[in-house]
């Protein structure tokens, strides 16, 4: 699953290619957040349907309260960003949503994603669909390990990135300026 706002720098074309390389018949690429107002979304729909056929499903923009519902349906969440100026300075918020939901996560070696997912996710180099496909296959073929890694991601989220964890950090920062 990819959950977010599709944009060229987010590597969705690499994800489409990766899914096309996977020979597991049940594999389905689901993209949540497609907005047909944008020509890029039309383009992605076209290439995904041509490349993947029935192995592709899309949903439009969803309200924030639906995030857990959609994430609960995924076997793996993929954040396949490309390395460029649009991605090196930002962290996709969806990584934290997936961590909170204890999902196995694959992300590219961009921005702070390797540090965030250290010990609780898989990292692949950007723009490497073949390597991405191998990791997706590995996760799908090893569900017990995937579940354990997802639970580690949730634990790390609770300890470092949850509201309670961040609140303590922010309070200490603001106290310095009282």
């Amino acid at each position: 699953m990819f959950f977010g706002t599709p944009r060229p720098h987010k590597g969705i074309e690499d994800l489409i290619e990766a899914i096309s390389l996977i020979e597991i018949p049940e594999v389905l690429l689901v993209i949540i957040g497609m907005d047909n107002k944008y020509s890029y979304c039309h383009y992605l729909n076209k290439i995904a349907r041509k490349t993947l056929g029935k192995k592709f499903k899309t949903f439009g923009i969803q309200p924030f309260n639906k995030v857990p519902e959609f994430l609960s349906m995924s076997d793996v969440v993929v954040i396949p960003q490309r390395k460029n100026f649009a991605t090196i300075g930002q962290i996709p918020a969806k990584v934290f949503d997936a961590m909170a939901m204890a999902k196995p996560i694959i992300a590219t070696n961009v921005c702070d994603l390797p540090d965030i997912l250290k010990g609780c996710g898989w990292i692949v180099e950007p723009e490497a669909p073949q390597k991405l496909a191998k990791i997706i296959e590995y996760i799908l073929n090893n569900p017990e390990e995937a579940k354990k890694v997802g639970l580690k991601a949730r634990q790390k989220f609770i300890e470092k990135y949850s509201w309670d964890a961040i609140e303590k950090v922010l309070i200490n920062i603001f106290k310095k300026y009282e």
Side-chain angles (χ1 to χ4, degrees), residues 2-30:
F2 173 89
F3 200 122
T5 307
R7 297 289 183 259
H9 64 273
K10 294 194 178 181
I12 301 168
E13 293 157 89
D14 299 328
L15 181 54
I16 292 167
E17 185 177 340
I19 297 299
S20 76
L21 299 171
I22 297 173
E23 295 183 14
I24 302 170
E26 299 83 17
V27 169
L28 176 69
L29 171 58
V30 178

PDB file of all heavy atoms in Angstrom, residues 2-30:
ATOM      1  N   PHE A   2       0.444   2.218  -0.774  1.00  0.00           N
ATOM      2  CA  PHE A   2       0.990   3.559  -0.690  1.00  0.00           C
ATOM      3  C   PHE A   2      -0.151   4.437  -0.225  1.00  0.00           C
ATOM      4  O   PHE A   2      -1.223   4.428  -0.830  1.00  0.00           O
ATOM      5  CB  PHE A   2       1.522   4.050  -2.038  1.00  0.00           C
ATOM      6  CG  PHE A   2       1.936   5.503  -1.998  1.00  0.00           C
ATOM      7  CD1 PHE A   2       3.222   5.844  -1.645  1.00  0.00           C
ATOM      8  CD2 PHE A   2       1.027   6.512  -2.267  1.00  0.00           C
ATOM      9  CE1 PHE A   2       3.612   7.181  -1.568  1.00  0.00           C
ATOM     10  CE2 PHE A   2       1.394   7.855  -2.203  1.00  0.00           C
ATOM     11  CZ  PHE A   2       2.690   8.188  -1.852  1.00  0.00           C
ATOM     12  N   PHE A   3       0.093   5.209   0.809  1.00  0.00           N
ATOM     13  CA  PHE A   3      -0.934   6.092   1.354  1.00  0.00           C
ATOM     14  C   PHE A   3      -0.353   7.489   1.385  1.00  0.00           C
ATOM     15  O   PHE A   3       0.628   7.735   2.064  1.00  0.00           O
ATOM     16  CB  PHE A   3      -1.299   5.645   2.777  1.00  0.00           C
ATOM     17  CG  PHE A   3      -2.626   6.149   3.253  1.00  0.00           C
ATOM     18  CD1 PHE A   3      -3.603   5.263   3.654  1.00  0.00           C
ATOM     19  CD2 PHE A   3      -2.908   7.499   3.308  1.00  0.00           C
ATOM     20  CE1 PHE A   3      -4.828   5.702   4.111  1.00  0.00           C
ATOM     21  CE2 PHE A   3      -4.128   7.958   3.764  1.00  0.00           C
ATOM     22  CZ  PHE A   3      -5.094   7.050   4.161  1.00  0.00           C
ATOM     23  N   GLY A   4      -0.943   8.397   0.653  1.00  0.00           N
ATOM     24  CA  GLY A   4      -0.442   9.759   0.640  1.00  0.00           C
ATOM     25  C   GLY A   4      -0.899  10.501  -0.590  1.00  0.00           C
ATOM     26  O   GLY A   4      -1.789  10.060  -1.316  1.00  0.00           O
ATOM     27  N   THR A   5      -0.269  11.617  -0.838  1.00  0.00           N
ATOM     28  CA  THR A   5      -0.581  12.443  -1.998  1.00  0.00           C
ATOM     29  C   THR A   5       0.396  12.084  -3.111  1.00  0.00           C
ATOM     30  O   THR A   5       1.584  12.359  -2.988  1.00  0.00           O
ATOM     31  CB  THR A   5      -0.443  13.933  -1.649  1.00  0.00           C
ATOM     32  OG1 THR A   5      -1.227  14.202  -0.486  1.00  0.00           O
ATOM     33  CG2 THR A   5      -0.910  14.809  -2.797  1.00  0.00           C
ATOM     34  N   PRO A   6      -0.074  11.436  -4.165  1.00  0.00           N
ATOM     35  CA  PRO A   6       0.840  11.052  -5.241  1.00  0.00           C
ATOM     36  C   PRO A   6       1.466  12.273  -5.923  1.00  0.00           C
ATOM     37  O   PRO A   6       0.761  13.178  -6.367  1.00  0.00           O
ATOM     38  CB  PRO A   6      -0.050  10.292  -6.221  1.00  0.00           C
ATOM     39  CG  PRO A   6      -1.199   9.812  -5.383  1.00  0.00           C
ATOM     40  CD  PRO A   6      -1.416  10.909  -4.376  1.00  0.00           C
ATOM     41  N   ARG A   7       2.777  12.273  -5.956  1.00  0.00           N
ATOM     42  CA  ARG A   7       3.559  13.304  -6.635  1.00  0.00           C
ATOM     43  C   ARG A   7       4.771  12.621  -7.265  1.00  0.00           C
ATOM     44  O   ARG A   7       5.227  11.581  -6.763  1.00  0.00           O
ATOM     45  CB  ARG A   7       4.027  14.385  -5.648  1.00  0.00           C
ATOM     46  CG  ARG A   7       2.901  15.159  -4.983  1.00  0.00           C
ATOM     47  CD  ARG A   7       2.194  16.092  -5.975  1.00  0.00           C
ATOM     48  NE  ARG A   7       1.163  16.872  -5.335  1.00  0.00           N
ATOM     49  CZ  ARG A   7      -0.145  16.609  -5.393  1.00  0.00           C
ATOM     50  NH1 ARG A   7      -0.575  15.568  -6.053  1.00  0.00           N
ATOM     51  NH2 ARG A   7      -1.007  17.378  -4.785  1.00  0.00           N
ATOM     52  N   PRO A   8       5.343  13.193  -8.313  1.00  0.00           N
ATOM     53  CA  PRO A   8       6.456  12.526  -9.007  1.00  0.00           C
ATOM     54  C   PRO A   8       7.639  12.173  -8.105  1.00  0.00           C
ATOM     55  O   PRO A   8       8.272  11.138  -8.303  1.00  0.00           O
ATOM     56  CB  PRO A   8       6.858  13.539 -10.079  1.00  0.00           C
ATOM     57  CG  PRO A   8       5.609  14.313 -10.355  1.00  0.00           C
ATOM     58  CD  PRO A   8       4.908  14.413  -9.022  1.00  0.00           C
ATOM     59  N   HIS A   9       7.932  12.980  -7.108  1.00  0.00           N
ATOM     60  CA  HIS A   9       9.090  12.711  -6.247  1.00  0.00           C
ATOM     61  C   HIS A   9       8.848  11.586  -5.248  1.00  0.00           C
ATOM     62  O   HIS A   9       9.777  11.149  -4.567  1.00  0.00           O
ATOM     63  CB  HIS A   9       9.521  13.989  -5.509  1.00  0.00           C
ATOM     64  CG  HIS A   9       8.502  14.519  -4.545  1.00  0.00           C
ATOM     65  ND1 HIS A   9       7.497  15.382  -4.937  1.00  0.00           N
ATOM     66  CD2 HIS A   9       8.325  14.301  -3.227  1.00  0.00           C
ATOM     67  CE1 HIS A   9       6.754  15.676  -3.884  1.00  0.00           C
ATOM     68  NE2 HIS A   9       7.230  15.041  -2.832  1.00  0.00           N
ATOM     69  N   LYS A  10       7.633  11.084  -5.168  1.00  0.00           N
ATOM     70  CA  LYS A  10       7.320  10.066  -4.175  1.00  0.00           C
ATOM     71  C   LYS A  10       7.599   8.642  -4.644  1.00  0.00           C
ATOM     72  O   LYS A  10       7.392   7.699  -3.889  1.00  0.00           O
ATOM     73  CB  LYS A  10       5.887  10.224  -3.694  1.00  0.00           C
ATOM     74  CG  LYS A  10       5.727  11.541  -2.927  1.00  0.00           C
ATOM     75  CD  LYS A  10       4.467  11.612  -2.161  1.00  0.00           C
ATOM     76  CE  LYS A  10       4.397  12.926  -1.380  1.00  0.00           C
ATOM     77  NZ  LYS A  10       3.169  12.997  -0.611  1.00  0.00           N
ATOM     78  N   GLY A  11       8.049   8.451  -5.866  1.00  0.00           N
ATOM     79  CA  GLY A  11       8.522   7.144  -6.318  1.00  0.00           C
ATOM     80  C   GLY A  11       7.452   6.114  -6.610  1.00  0.00           C
ATOM     81  O   GLY A  11       7.738   4.914  -6.645  1.00  0.00           O
ATOM     82  N   ILE A  12       6.245   6.537  -6.860  1.00  0.00           N
ATOM     83  CA  ILE A  12       5.163   5.585  -7.101  1.00  0.00           C
ATOM     84  C   ILE A  12       5.387   4.805  -8.392  1.00  0.00           C
ATOM     85  O   ILE A  12       5.051   3.624  -8.472  1.00  0.00           O
ATOM     86  CB  ILE A  12       3.791   6.297  -7.095  1.00  0.00           C
ATOM     87  CG1 ILE A  12       3.595   6.973  -5.736  1.00  0.00           C
ATOM     88  CG2 ILE A  12       2.661   5.317  -7.373  1.00  0.00           C
ATOM     89  CD1 ILE A  12       2.442   7.929  -5.667  1.00  0.00           C
ATOM     90  N   GLU A  13       5.994   5.435  -9.373  1.00  0.00           N
ATOM     91  CA  GLU A  13       6.308   4.712 -10.615  1.00  0.00           C
ATOM     92  C   GLU A  13       7.265   3.554 -10.339  1.00  0.00           C
ATOM     93  O   GLU A  13       7.140   2.475 -10.927  1.00  0.00           O
ATOM     94  CB  GLU A  13       6.894   5.672 -11.644  1.00  0.00           C
ATOM     95  CG  GLU A  13       5.871   6.697 -12.103  1.00  0.00           C
ATOM     96  CD  GLU A  13       6.520   7.956 -12.648  1.00  0.00           C
ATOM     97  OE1 GLU A  13       6.790   7.979 -13.859  1.00  0.00           O
ATOM     98  OE2 GLU A  13       6.750   8.883 -11.849  1.00  0.00           O
ATOM     99  N   ASP A  14       8.211   3.753  -9.423  1.00  0.00           N
ATOM    100  CA  ASP A  14       9.119   2.673  -9.022  1.00  0.00           C
ATOM    101  C   ASP A  14       8.349   1.552  -8.331  1.00  0.00           C
ATOM    102  O   ASP A  14       8.637   0.367  -8.531  1.00  0.00           O
ATOM    103  CB  ASP A  14      10.213   3.204  -8.094  1.00  0.00           C
ATOM    104  CG  ASP A  14      11.069   4.273  -8.755  1.00  0.00           C
ATOM    105  OD1 ASP A  14      11.266   4.210  -9.986  1.00  0.00           O
ATOM    106  OD2 ASP A  14      11.544   5.172  -8.035  1.00  0.00           O
ATOM    107  N   LEU A  15       7.371   1.917  -7.523  1.00  0.00           N
ATOM    108  CA  LEU A  15       6.550   0.930  -6.830  1.00  0.00           C
ATOM    109  C   LEU A  15       5.711   0.131  -7.831  1.00  0.00           C
ATOM    110  O   LEU A  15       5.592  -1.093  -7.710  1.00  0.00           O
ATOM    111  CB  LEU A  15       5.658   1.620  -5.799  1.00  0.00           C
ATOM    112  CG  LEU A  15       4.740   0.734  -4.973  1.00  0.00           C
ATOM    113  CD1 LEU A  15       5.508  -0.385  -4.273  1.00  0.00           C
ATOM    114  CD2 LEU A  15       3.968   1.580  -3.968  1.00  0.00           C
ATOM    115  N   ILE A  16       5.158   0.798  -8.817  1.00  0.00           N
ATOM    116  CA  ILE A  16       4.391   0.103  -9.859  1.00  0.00           C
ATOM    117  C   ILE A  16       5.280  -0.911 -10.566  1.00  0.00           C
ATOM    118  O   ILE A  16       4.900  -2.071 -10.758  1.00  0.00           O
ATOM    119  CB  ILE A  16       3.777   1.113 -10.859  1.00  0.00           C
ATOM    120  CG1 ILE A  16       2.684   1.933 -10.167  1.00  0.00           C
ATOM    121  CG2 ILE A  16       3.225   0.397 -12.102  1.00  0.00           C
ATOM    122  CD1 ILE A  16       2.218   3.150 -10.947  1.00  0.00           C
ATOM    123  N   GLU A  17       6.488  -0.489 -10.933  1.00  0.00           N
ATOM    124  CA  GLU A  17       7.408  -1.406 -11.597  1.00  0.00           C
ATOM    125  C   GLU A  17       7.774  -2.572 -10.684  1.00  0.00           C
ATOM    126  O   GLU A  17       7.830  -3.728 -11.118  1.00  0.00           O
ATOM    127  CB  GLU A  17       8.677  -0.677 -12.050  1.00  0.00           C
ATOM    128  CG  GLU A  17       9.602  -1.560 -12.850  1.00  0.00           C
ATOM    129  CD  GLU A  17      10.842  -0.853 -13.367  1.00  0.00           C
ATOM    130  OE1 GLU A  17      10.850   0.390 -13.448  1.00  0.00           O
ATOM    131  OE2 GLU A  17      11.811  -1.565 -13.679  1.00  0.00           O
ATOM    132  N   ALA A  18       8.018  -2.284  -9.406  1.00  0.00           N
ATOM    133  CA  ALA A  18       8.360  -3.338  -8.448  1.00  0.00           C
ATOM    134  C   ALA A  18       7.242  -4.371  -8.365  1.00  0.00           C
ATOM    135  O   ALA A  18       7.502  -5.584  -8.398  1.00  0.00           O
ATOM    136  CB  ALA A  18       8.647  -2.740  -7.077  1.00  0.00           C
ATOM    137  N   ILE A  19       6.012  -3.919  -8.262  1.00  0.00           N
ATOM    138  CA  ILE A  19       4.881  -4.845  -8.162  1.00  0.00           C
ATOM    139  C   ILE A  19       4.780  -5.689  -9.427  1.00  0.00           C
ATOM    140  O   ILE A  19       4.481  -6.884  -9.368  1.00  0.00           O
ATOM    141  CB  ILE A  19       3.558  -4.090  -7.887  1.00  0.00           C
ATOM    142  CG1 ILE A  19       3.610  -3.366  -6.541  1.00  0.00           C
ATOM    143  CG2 ILE A  19       2.349  -5.024  -7.965  1.00  0.00           C
ATOM    144  CD1 ILE A  19       3.794  -4.257  -5.331  1.00  0.00           C
ATOM    145  N   SER A  20       5.084  -5.105 -10.581  1.00  0.00           N
ATOM    146  CA  SER A  20       5.019  -5.864 -11.832  1.00  0.00           C
ATOM    147  C   SER A  20       6.052  -6.994 -11.871  1.00  0.00           C
ATOM    148  O   SER A  20       5.881  -7.971 -12.600  1.00  0.00           O
ATOM    149  CB  SER A  20       5.207  -4.937 -13.040  1.00  0.00           C
ATOM    150  OG  SER A  20       6.571  -4.571 -13.196  1.00  0.00           O
ATOM    151  N   LEU A  21       7.111  -6.879 -11.090  1.00  0.00           N
ATOM    152  CA  LEU A  21       8.164  -7.893 -11.061  1.00  0.00           C
ATOM    153  C   LEU A  21       7.854  -9.043 -10.099  1.00  0.00           C
ATOM    154  O   LEU A  21       8.521 -10.081 -10.135  1.00  0.00           O
ATOM    155  CB  LEU A  21       9.495  -7.248 -10.653  1.00  0.00           C
ATOM    156  CG  LEU A  21      10.023  -6.157 -11.590  1.00  0.00           C
ATOM    157  CD1 LEU A  21      11.213  -5.450 -10.960  1.00  0.00           C
ATOM    158  CD2 LEU A  21      10.366  -6.738 -12.951  1.00  0.00           C
ATOM    159  N   ILE A  22       6.865  -8.871  -9.263  1.00  0.00           N
ATOM    160  CA  ILE A  22       6.516  -9.886  -8.254  1.00  0.00           C
ATOM    161  C   ILE A  22       5.569 -10.903  -8.887  1.00  0.00           C
ATOM    162  O   ILE A  22       4.541 -10.543  -9.439  1.00  0.00           O
ATOM    163  CB  ILE A  22       5.886  -9.222  -7.008  1.00  0.00           C
ATOM    164  CG1 ILE A  22       6.907  -8.297  -6.358  1.00  0.00           C
ATOM    165  CG2 ILE A  22       5.382 -10.274  -6.034  1.00  0.00           C
ATOM    166  CD1 ILE A  22       6.368  -7.455  -5.231  1.00  0.00           C
ATOM    167  N   GLU A  23       5.937 -12.167  -8.756  1.00  0.00           N
ATOM    168  CA  GLU A  23       5.151 -13.225  -9.396  1.00  0.00           C
ATOM    169  C   GLU A  23       4.092 -13.843  -8.498  1.00  0.00           C
ATOM    170  O   GLU A  23       3.428 -14.785  -8.896  1.00  0.00           O
ATOM    171  CB  GLU A  23       6.099 -14.284  -9.945  1.00  0.00           C
ATOM    172  CG  GLU A  23       6.983 -13.719 -11.056  1.00  0.00           C
ATOM    173  CD  GLU A  23       7.892 -14.761 -11.680  1.00  0.00           C
ATOM    174  OE1 GLU A  23       7.672 -15.963 -11.451  1.00  0.00           O
ATOM    175  OE2 GLU A  23       8.809 -14.360 -12.394  1.00  0.00           O
ATOM    176  N   ILE A  24       3.927 -13.320  -7.311  1.00  0.00           N
ATOM    177  CA  ILE A  24       2.881 -13.824  -6.412  1.00  0.00           C
ATOM    178  C   ILE A  24       1.538 -13.316  -6.945  1.00  0.00           C
ATOM    179  O   ILE A  24       1.307 -12.108  -6.992  1.00  0.00           O
ATOM    180  CB  ILE A  24       3.111 -13.334  -4.966  1.00  0.00           C
ATOM    181  CG1 ILE A  24       4.487 -13.780  -4.456  1.00  0.00           C
ATOM    182  CG2 ILE A  24       1.992 -13.824  -4.049  1.00  0.00           C
ATOM    183  CD1 ILE A  24       4.904 -13.135  -3.141  1.00  0.00           C
ATOM    184  N   PRO A  25       0.648 -14.215  -7.377  1.00  0.00           N
ATOM    185  CA  PRO A  25      -0.590 -13.772  -8.027  1.00  0.00           C
ATOM    186  C   PRO A  25      -1.499 -12.908  -7.163  1.00  0.00           C
ATOM    187  O   PRO A  25      -2.231 -12.076  -7.675  1.00  0.00           O
ATOM    188  CB  PRO A  25      -1.309 -15.075  -8.407  1.00  0.00           C
ATOM    189  CG  PRO A  25      -0.401 -16.188  -8.074  1.00  0.00           C
ATOM    190  CD  PRO A  25       0.764 -15.671  -7.305  1.00  0.00           C
ATOM    191  N   GLU A  26      -1.460 -13.102  -5.838  1.00  0.00           N
ATOM    192  CA  GLU A  26      -2.360 -12.362  -4.947  1.00  0.00           C
ATOM    193  C   GLU A  26      -1.897 -10.947  -4.640  1.00  0.00           C
ATOM    194  O   GLU A  26      -2.617 -10.192  -3.993  1.00  0.00           O
ATOM    195  CB  GLU A  26      -2.511 -13.107  -3.609  1.00  0.00           C
ATOM    196  CG  GLU A  26      -3.093 -14.492  -3.724  1.00  0.00           C
ATOM    197  CD  GLU A  26      -2.049 -15.551  -4.079  1.00  0.00           C
ATOM    198  OE1 GLU A  26      -0.842 -15.312  -3.940  1.00  0.00           O
ATOM    199  OE2 GLU A  26      -2.462 -16.619  -4.528  1.00  0.00           O
ATOM    200  N   VAL A  27      -0.711 -10.580  -5.080  1.00  0.00           N
ATOM    201  CA  VAL A  27      -0.188  -9.248  -4.770  1.00  0.00           C
ATOM    202  C   VAL A  27      -1.047  -8.184  -5.448  1.00  0.00           C
ATOM    203  O   VAL A  27      -1.377  -8.289  -6.627  1.00  0.00           O
ATOM    204  CB  VAL A  27       1.289  -9.105  -5.205  1.00  0.00           C
ATOM    205  CG1 VAL A  27       1.744  -7.658  -5.132  1.00  0.00           C
ATOM    206  CG2 VAL A  27       2.170  -9.975  -4.342  1.00  0.00           C
ATOM    207  N   LEU A  28      -1.383  -7.181  -4.662  1.00  0.00           N
ATOM    208  CA  LEU A  28      -2.220  -6.090  -5.143  1.00  0.00           C
ATOM    209  C   LEU A  28      -1.598  -4.780  -4.676  1.00  0.00           C
ATOM    210  O   LEU A  28      -1.302  -4.635  -3.490  1.00  0.00           O
ATOM    211  CB  LEU A  28      -3.630  -6.239  -4.569  1.00  0.00           C
ATOM    212  CG  LEU A  28      -4.647  -5.154  -4.867  1.00  0.00           C
ATOM    213  CD1 LEU A  28      -5.026  -5.174  -6.342  1.00  0.00           C
ATOM    214  CD2 LEU A  28      -5.891  -5.347  -4.000  1.00  0.00           C
ATOM    215  N   LEU A  29      -1.390  -3.857  -5.584  1.00  0.00           N
ATOM    216  CA  LEU A  29      -0.924  -2.531  -5.214  1.00  0.00           C
ATOM    217  C   LEU A  29      -2.142  -1.654  -4.995  1.00  0.00           C
ATOM    218  O   LEU A  29      -2.983  -1.499  -5.879  1.00  0.00           O
ATOM    219  CB  LEU A  29      -0.041  -1.915  -6.308  1.00  0.00           C
ATOM    220  CG  LEU A  29       0.331  -0.440  -6.108  1.00  0.00           C
ATOM    221  CD1 LEU A  29       1.057  -0.215  -4.788  1.00  0.00           C
ATOM    222  CD2 LEU A  29       1.155   0.067  -7.274  1.00  0.00           C
ATOM    223  N   VAL A  30      -2.223  -1.095  -3.797  1.00  0.00           N
ATOM    224  CA  VAL A  30      -3.316  -0.187  -3.458  1.00  0.00           C
ATOM    225  C   VAL A  30      -2.705   1.180  -3.198  1.00  0.00           C
ATOM    226  O   VAL A  30      -1.787   1.314  -2.391  1.00  0.00           O
ATOM    227  CB  VAL A  30      -4.090  -0.680  -2.214  1.00  0.00           C
ATOM    228  CG1 VAL A  30      -5.189   0.306  -1.848  1.00  0.00           C
ATOM    229  CG2 VAL A  30      -4.668  -2.067  -2.455  1.00  0.00           C
TER     230      VAL A  30
END
